[in-house]
Amino acid sequence: MAKTKHTGPIKLSKKPDPSLWVSKVPFGITKIKPHHIRDTMKVVWENKDNLPYATRIITQGVCDGCALGVQGLKDQTLAGPHLCTTRLNVLRLNTMKAMKEDIIHADIDELRKMDSTELRKLGRIPYPLIRKPGDRKFSRISWDEALDTIAKKIKKIDPKQYAFYLTSRGITNESYYVAGKVARFLGTNNIDNASRICHSPSKTALTRSVGIGASSCNYKDWIGTDVLVFWGSVAANNQPVSTKYMYAAKRKGTKIIIINPYYEPSMDNYWVPSIPESALFGTKIADDVYQVNIGGDIAFMHGIMKHWFEMEEEEKGSAIDYAFVEKHVNGLEELREKVTRYEWEQLEKSSGLSRERMGELAKLLAKSNSAVFVWSMGLTQHRFGTDNVSQVANLALLRGFLGREHCGLMPIRGHSGVQGSGEMGADPFSLPGGAMDDEGRKRVGKVWGFDIPTWQGDIVGVSLENALLPEDHERKLKLYYMSGGNFLETMPEPDFVKKCLESVDIRVHQDIIFNTSTFVDAKEAVIVLPAMTRYEQPGGGTSTSTERMVYFSPEIKGPRIEEARSEWEIYVDLAKRVKPEDEELIKFKDAYEVRDEIGKTAPNYDGIQHLKENGDLFQWGGAWLCEGGVCPTPDGKGNLIPVEIPELRKPEGHFYVTTRRGKQFNSMIYGEKDPFNNADRYDVLMNEEDGKKHDIEEGDAIVVYNKYGTFNGRAKFVPIREGNIEVHWPEGNPLIPKGVYEEYAGIPEYNAAVIVEKAETYFAHKDTKYVEKRVEELEMEIS
């Protein structure tokens, strides 16, 4: 798999290209856009009490923001410094002082009045805490008391009755690895991570289609590819440094295509702050935008392939790379039969795009010698997310856009820690280096020295639901151990999630700060454990970027939270207390020993044991996975997967809703206004024509509702596909159904059919069963 090695960063041309300018007015004055210089100065001011340490984190540490993989101020794609406001916003989490005692031990109802943004500014958790039923405040306890309480509970209950969860909050590969090992050492497979609610369908789909669970290519492949397609991804907002790669790609003549229900302004025009030309005059990013319906991507891709098969009937080889397909691909005839069976009328209705528009992209891709397909949660957060991604893989396989320069499949990660989570085995379906099958258990168990449980562990959503099972049920969740995460803000139906959290006997929050879920009651105890950041971890830590670069981030000299501990060390200490007789099987002297063992259990990570100094890195799998078209599947071939067009379940005259991010990093909100479109957190993005149909004017108070919940907001007209609306996440989560999971990867559904009405209409009839009747009609039409 690693024939060709990554060749390192390339230099940008310094010669201006006015054809790419957005405007000749400098710095985008008068336009709605981010104010990078102002935001940077704000971050400097926020960190003024710890500026030398903050500077060392920025210049020496691996970014704990998105997963582009910036090491210090450099990456492996483009020469020169890289810094973005996302990374700067996260910086304060690492430099804050400890919370004051009067805040930590305030009345619980006073703490509950604060939202997560306010809580984030209070400071770091300084020492272990506990709160039992009836307690009005948290009490300080020792580490021994805290871990002994947890260990005692684990000893009393069945391994199927406790679970672990790790968010992607700057967590290192070492912590993921040790958590996965400790879970199995303690006898449970109930361990999951944040990728379950973002990119789990990507890994599942890519594995079945081409035998890989990560990006097949590099960011460098964007620069010079014929076509770069962003599918359901707003990289300019979520991974801002990527705009430099887009700028470089445009300079090389790459066409950039955006596929999204909403014509995202940040993916159209962007002012890249670290490129003088772009900072002054902006850069035109999008060459074309295809506005699909929410959930209409499969139909759209069927339309592209249907065009290709029709082109082939007129002239063989005009659309499909037969040389590649015949040598490296299975299932062509089955896919052809599936695609051609659909009528154009059905494809147009489902996708929201005309046959002619689908044909435009089909012809562009057919004429191109190379393409890179990038996608994010616009494709994955559906009940058919795995099929969405497999359909993208189908396009790449039919055109041979795999395993060579300027080609590939890239699920772009939104957090620096999340790519490594499943690869380290912090996952109910995975072990380090592979699947949780008989062969994997035998292989890893040989290194670990103990048997790995054979029963199937639960995904995060099911673990939460299991808290509501009868007391004597073998899978009744009685202890939940969470490293970070706030399910009240990341999972559908927050009220239901709260009920689940309250039903757990002991809940452990291992974190660096408080969040709103920390204050939810538990039946026996809520225990809070102070964790170190990645920059405080003794012996340093590693993280894996979207492009499979494994970076070493050193321990950085600076102030410390006195009682905070390295996350992987906490897991080891707990395991020893539960099974002291077998502690030798779980003992690690330091982070270097952890990396040594990772290199033995995860073959792709052989080399991680040598990462010790600032600047150390390697890329597992080489420059391109599936190089030369050879896939790590049983027969070495990629598989074309025929998929059905999903029923969108949106009645005529109603809307389909999805969630989007504004000025935020994951669920951490940094501004009430979106700098790209000036929308606030409670604006409902809708098409102006839809507004006219429903007698709604821009700025009107409106109510969005269905049987799951209600969202009160204001109409904001934007260029979005008719029949679709978007609300901000997590504010819009009450509209999303609980317990609806994707069949293959288990990601929750984050879309729903809804009714939109003027607030005056809604509230005027609210007490006359009008709302209940409308919801009942909606459900009857869907079913």
Side-chain angles (χ1 to χ4, degrees):
M1 286 173 67
K3 296 176 186 175
T4 304
K5 301 294 184 182
H6 196 284
T7 54
I10 58 178
K11 291 184 178 180
L12 266 175
S13 172
K14 294 183 180 180
K15 184 180 178 181
D17 184 354
S19 69
L20 298 178
W21 292 359
V22 175
S23 168
K24 292 182 180 179
V25 178
F27 300 110
I29 294 170
T30 75
K31 294 188 179 293
I32 298 172
K33 59 180 284 293
H35 299 283
H36 295 110
I37 296 174
R38 184 187 69 187
D39 289 347
T40 300
M41 291 301 100
K42 181 181 176 183
V43 170
V44 171
W45 179 256
E46 286 177 346
N47 289 276
K48 65 184 183 296
D49 59 341
N50 225 337
L51 210 51
Y53 183 44
T55 303
R56 288 193 294 274
I57 288 173
I58 292 293
T59 56
Q60 298 173 23
V62 173
C63 175
D64 57 346
C66 74
L68 295 188
V70 177
Q71 190 174 39
L73 293 173
K74 298 179 180 179
D75 69 10
Q76 298 302 303
T77 305
L78 292 173
H82 308 296
L83 188 61
C84 72
T85 50
T86 295
R87 185 179 183 189
L88 290 172
N89 284 331
V90 177
L91 179 62
R92 189 56 178 161
L93 293 177
N94 301 288
T95 66
M96 288 189 300
K97 296 178 180 178
M99 275 187 284
K100 295 178 180 178
E101 288 197 5
D102 61 334
I103 295 173
I104 301 167
H105 303 291
D107 186 273
I108 195 68
D109 286 339
E110 291 302 310
L111 292 173
R112 285 170 176 160
K113 291 176 183 177
M114 301 186 200
D115 61 29
S116 287
T117 301
E118 294 169 316
L119 292 170
R120 193 171 64 242
K121 296 176 181 178
L122 296 178
R124 296 272 300 276
I125 299 166
Y127 42 72
L129 300 164
I130 192 168
R131 190 171 66 85
K132 296 181 179 180
D135 290 350
R136 297 303 310 158
K137 59 185 70 175
F138 280 107
S139 300
R140 181 174 183 171
I141 55 172
S142 69
W143 271 103
D144 285 337
E145 290 175 291
L147 292 177
D148 284 344
T149 301
I150 300 166
K152 183 179 178 182
K153 184 68 175 180
I154 288 175
K155 287 179 181 180
K156 286 174 60 178
I157 58 180
D158 190 283
K160 294 178 182 177
Q161 295 178 324
Y162 52 86
F164 294 86
Y165 173 83
L166 291 88
T167 188
S168 48
R169 179 240 329 123
I171 290 180
T172 60
N173 287 328
E174 291 80 358
S175 293
Y176 284 125
Y177 178 83
V178 173
K181 182 178 181 179
V182 164
R184 273 66 186 229
F185 174 78
L186 296 178
T188 189
N189 284 323
N190 291 334
I191 179 167
D192 210 351
N193 64 81
S195 71
R196 184 67 50 212
I197 55 177
C198 59
H199 269 296
S200 54
S202 298
K203 180 179 179 180
T204 304
L206 289 176
T207 300
R208 76 179 186 180
S209 292
V210 291
I212 62 176
S215 171
S216 74
C217 59
N218 307 289
Y219 298 118
K220 281 181 67 176
D221 291 310
W222 294 15
I223 305 166
T225 186
D226 289 344
V227 186
L228 177 58
V229 182
F230 289 92
W231 224 301
S233 170
V234 190
N237 189 24
N238 301 318
Q239 297 93 0
V241 170
S242 70
T243 56
K244 291 187 75 169
Y245 312 156
M246 297 180 215
Y247 169 88
K250 297 290 289 187
R251 294 297 301 264
K252 289 280 189 179
T254 295
K255 288 190 178 298
I256 297 182
I257 306 299
I258 312 299
I259 300 166
N260 210 54
Y262 173 34
Y263 197 128
E264 287 280 357
S266 66
M267 295 298 284
D268 186 18
N269 301 316
Y270 198 92
W271 284 256
V272 184
S274 56
I275 299 174
E277 175 192 21
S278 183
L280 277 170
F281 306 114
T283 300
K284 298 175 184 175
I285 293 176
D287 288 279
D288 204 349
V289 179
Y290 291 82
Q291 293 183 253
V292 296
N293 280 325
I294 295 166
D297 304 279
I298 288 176
F300 181 37
M301 287 183 265
H302 270 306
I304 292 170
M305 290 186 287
K306 188 175 176 72
H307 273 294
W308 285 351
F309 287 124
E310 289 181 356
M311 291 164 68
E312 287 296 323
E313 290 179 5
E314 296 179 14
E315 181 184 354
K316 186 168 183 180
S318 61
I320 294 171
D321 185 342
Y322 279 103
F324 182 89
V325 170
E326 289 171 4
K327 188 176 181 180
H328 299 295
V329 181
N330 298 315
L332 177 62
E333 292 311 313
E334 292 86 345
L335 181 66
R336 188 200 309 269
E337 192 278 329
K338 172 70 71 176
V339 168
T340 55
R341 182 157 38 93
Y342 286 108
E343 299 295 333
W344 281 113
E345 183 181 4
Q346 186 178 0
L347 298 177
E348 289 178 325
K349 182 179 180 181
S350 181
S351 70
L353 292 159
S354 69
R355 175 180 180 176
E356 291 71 28
R357 280 292 278 156
M358 290 186 258
E360 290 172 18
L361 185 54
K363 290 169 187 173
L364 174 63
L365 293 173
K367 292 176 183 177
S368 300
N369 293 315
S370 58
V372 176
F373 297 136
V374 181
W375 68 90
S376 193
M377 286 172 280
L379 282 192
T380 59
Q381 288 187 328
H382 292 269
R383 66 184 186 280
F384 40 83
T386 297
D387 283 348
N388 271 342
V389 177
S390 284
Q391 193 83 321
V392 177
N394 288 344
L395 296 179
L397 289 170
L398 289 174
R399 290 291 303 134
F401 295 151
L402 186 69
R404 56 187 173 92
E405 188 177 23
H406 297 144
C407 292
L409 296 162
M410 179 177 283
I412 190 167
R413 294 290 195 170
H415 203 298
S416 65
V418 76
Q419 179 65 42
S421 57
E423 293 171 349
M424 294 296 101
D427 185 295
F429 305 112
S430 301
L431 288 169
M436 248 271 293
D437 53 18
D438 290 341
E439 182 183 342
R441 283 191 293 269
K442 184 177 179 182
R443 175 181 59 81
V444 176
K446 188 175 181 181
V447 178
W448 286 353
F450 57 83
D451 292 334
I452 296 168
T454 58
W455 51 273
Q456 178 58 55
D458 291 321
I459 59 174
V460 55
V462 173
S463 286
L464 279 169
E465 292 170 13
N466 286 351
L468 302 179
L469 289 171
E471 197 66 31
D472 58 352
H473 196 285
E474 68 165 0
R475 284 190 183 247
K476 161 76 173 178
L477 184 69
K478 297 185 177 182
L479 183 144
Y480 209 175
Y481 194 120
M482 295 166 281
S483 286
N486 183 356
F487 298 135
L488 291 180
E489 296 185 0
T490 56
M491 296 295 286
E493 286 203 47
D495 289 344
F496 173 77
V497 171
K498 181 174 181 287
K499 184 179 178 182
C500 294
L501 293 174
E502 290 173 333
S503 300
V504 179
D505 290 352
I506 292 180
R507 218 174 54 247
V508 182
H509 294 264
Q510 183 170 296
D511 214 330
I512 59 175
I513 56 173
F514 281 160
N515 66 56
T516 54
S517 70
T518 319
F519 309 134
V520 175
D521 291 334
K523 290 168 72 175
E524 293 178 11
V526 176
I527 295 175
V528 181
L529 303 177
M532 286 181 169
T533 70
R534 67 167 54 176
Y535 307 118
E536 298 165 346
Q537 184 172 301
T542 61
S543 61
T544 309
S545 73
T546 289
E547 57 182 350
R548 297 171 282 105
M549 292 283 182
V550 184
Y551 291 94
F552 177 75
S553 188
E555 179 184 1
I556 296 173
K557 183 181 178 181
R560 294 291 184 262
I561 302 299
E562 189 173 348
E563 290 195 44
R565 297 180 62 184
S566 172
E567 303 215 41
W568 69 261
E569 292 181 295
I570 301 171
Y571 285 119
V572 171
D573 195 348
L574 173 64
K576 289 177 181 178
R577 293 167 192 262
V578 178
K579 291 186 174 182
E581 68 279 7
D582 293 324
E583 70 173 63
E584 288 300 317
L585 297 175
I586 204 72
K587 186 181 291 183
F588 291 105
K589 183 176 65 178
D590 52 33
Y592 300 103
E593 278 198 358
V594 178
R595 289 192 283 275
D596 281 341
E597 190 171 292
I598 292 172
K600 295 173 185 174
T601 52
N604 285 339
Y605 277 76
D606 186 15
I608 195 172
Q609 64 271 31
H610 305 306
L611 305 185
K612 297 180 180 180
E613 303 293 335
N614 189 15
D616 286 353
L617 74 145
F618 74 97
Q619 183 183 36
W620 71 258
W624 307 298
L625 300 184
C626 306
E627 186 166 357
V630 179
C631 299
T633 53
D635 63 358
K637 293 185 176 183
N639 300 301
L640 295 168
I641 309 289
V643 300
E644 299 285 347
I645 293 177
E647 182 187 354
L648 294 186
R649 304 188 296 184
K650 179 181 77 69
E652 197 66 36
H654 295 294
F655 293 84
Y656 215 47
V657 64
T658 194
T659 57
R660 72 184 299 275
R661 275 65 169 162
K663 189 174 177 59
Q664 63 192 100
F665 178 60
N666 294 334
S667 63
M668 293 187 291
I669 298 163
Y670 288 99
E672 293 303 310
K673 287 282 186 182
D674 187 323
F676 294 107
N677 64 7
N678 209 34
D680 72 26
R681 302 297 303 181
Y682 287 90
D683 277 341
V684 178
L685 306 188
M686 65 186 304
N687 188 288
E688 186 173 2
E689 292 303 312
D690 284 329
K692 291 178 181 177
K693 292 176 188 175
H694 293 265
D695 193 29
I696 294 170
E697 295 184 3
E698 185 160 37
D700 279 354
I702 58 176
V703 180
V704 182
Y705 64 99
N706 55 20
K707 72 175 182 179
Y708 311 113
T710 303
F711 180 88
N712 295 284
R714 292 192 176 274
K716 183 174 181 62
F717 295 152
V718 298
I720 189 172
R721 172 65 57 191
E722 289 184 49
N724 301 271
I725 61 171
E726 292 191 4
V727 293
H728 281 96
W729 180 86
E731 288 87 347
N733 278 358
L735 298 169
I736 308 302
K738 71 177 187 295
V740 180
Y741 304 108
E742 197 268 349
E743 178 182 0
Y744 305 103
I747 195 169
E749 167 77 283
Y750 279 91
N751 311 274
V754 293
I755 300 164
V756 177
E757 282 188 350
K758 294 178 74 168
E760 58 192 66
T761 303
Y762 176 88
F763 289 108
H765 297 93
K766 194 172 187 304
D767 298 325
T768 64
K769 294 197 177 292
Y770 166 82
V771 172
E772 290 86 343
K773 289 175 182 175
R774 294 282 330 255
V775 169
E776 187 177 336
E777 289 167 4
L778 175 68
E779 293 306 309
M780 287 176 63
E781 290 181 63
I782 288 174
S783 58

